[in-house]
Amino acid sequence: GAALTFTTVNWGTDQPVTLAAAEDADVTNDSALIQIAATDVPSKDVTATEQDNDTVEFVTSVDAVNVPEGSTAVFQVHLSAQPSADVNATVSWVSGDTDITVQSGAALTFTTANWNTDQPVTLAAAEDADVVNGTSTIRIAATDVPSKDVTATEQDNDTLQFVTSVDTVNVPEGSTAVFQVHLSAQPSADVNATVS
């Protein structure tokens, strides 16, 4: 419909003009002015507005990450589409094992220029006394963007063993001797031991 011809016969018959909106990377409903013009006829403008089908969401390199106890692990974050303004995101622990914390990347800023560039988040798992591979939920959040959760699991480096006060003991004949026993780490449930 970029060229239309109206004659003395078809002047009152509608002729179609088809507009196309290309896929783009932003989430803006852009608009354009379409003008119909001819010699000796006043121009007529039609405003066309793109109904954008993109949504801004957080995209992470992983949905779950293992963090070695006493060490760190990294995952990446970017946006799914170009935002219309800066997105200031927070990354924080929301539930689960408190040994896992956000070491760096707690505040991320995504602009119209860097929205699709990965930004790192570093998680740390503190040394603890148990042998449990604790898990926690790390949440990425910002105004007007759906929150995204990443599950972090601590890879515990403790082993559960019996610890005795001595490895050998002398027991006087006709008498007794004592040695002590404890566990090397906190168990996840009761440990019922036999000594025989």
Side-chain angles (χ1 to χ4, degrees):
L4 306 174
T5 300
F6 295 96
T7 68
T8 55
V9 176
N10 75 354
W11 62 271
T13 302
D14 283 335
Q15 295 191 43
V17 175
T18 303
L19 304 180
E23 291 286 346
D24 58 23
D26 63 37
V27 293
T28 306
N29 292 327
D30 295 311
S31 62
L33 197 62
I34 308 301
Q35 187 174 78
I36 306 138
T39 305
D40 298 329
V41 180
S43 297
K44 173 71 188 259
D45 293 339
V46 174
T47 301
T49 301
E50 172 194 31
Q51 292 182 312
D52 204 283
N53 61 5
D54 298 301
T55 56
V56 175
E57 297 176 336
F58 293 113
V59 178
T60 55
S61 55
V62 292
D63 290 329
V65 60
N66 292 322
V67 188
E69 183 177 11
S71 189
T72 60
V74 177
F75 67 91
Q76 308 289 334
V77 186
H78 67 266
L79 295 180
S80 61
Q82 185 182 43
S84 55
D86 287 358
V87 173
N88 296 307
T90 59
V91 183
S92 59
W93 174 96
V94 291
S95 65
D97 190 345
T98 55
D99 291 332
I100 299 174
T101 57
V102 178
Q103 186 179 76
S104 66
L108 306 174
T109 299
F110 297 97
T111 68
T112 55
N114 76 351
W115 61 273
N116 59 351
T117 302
D118 279 333
Q119 296 191 40
V121 174
T122 303
L123 304 180
E127 291 284 354
D128 58 23
D130 62 39
V131 293
V132 177
N133 291 327
T135 62
S136 65
T137 300
I138 306 299
R139 180 164 295 160
I140 307 140
T143 304
D144 298 327
V145 180
S147 296
K148 174 73 186 278
D149 289 346
V150 171
T151 301
T153 301
E154 173 192 33
Q155 291 181 309
D156 205 284
N157 60 8
D158 299 301
T159 56
L160 198 59
Q161 299 176 3
F162 291 114
V163 179
T164 56
S165 56
V166 292
D167 289 332
T168 61
V169 60
N170 294 319
V171 186
E173 186 175 3
S175 186
T176 62
V178 176
F179 68 93
Q180 307 292 332
V181 185
H182 67 267
L183 294 177
S184 61
Q186 183 184 41
S188 57
D190 289 355
V191 173
N192 298 306
T194 60
V195 182
S196 58

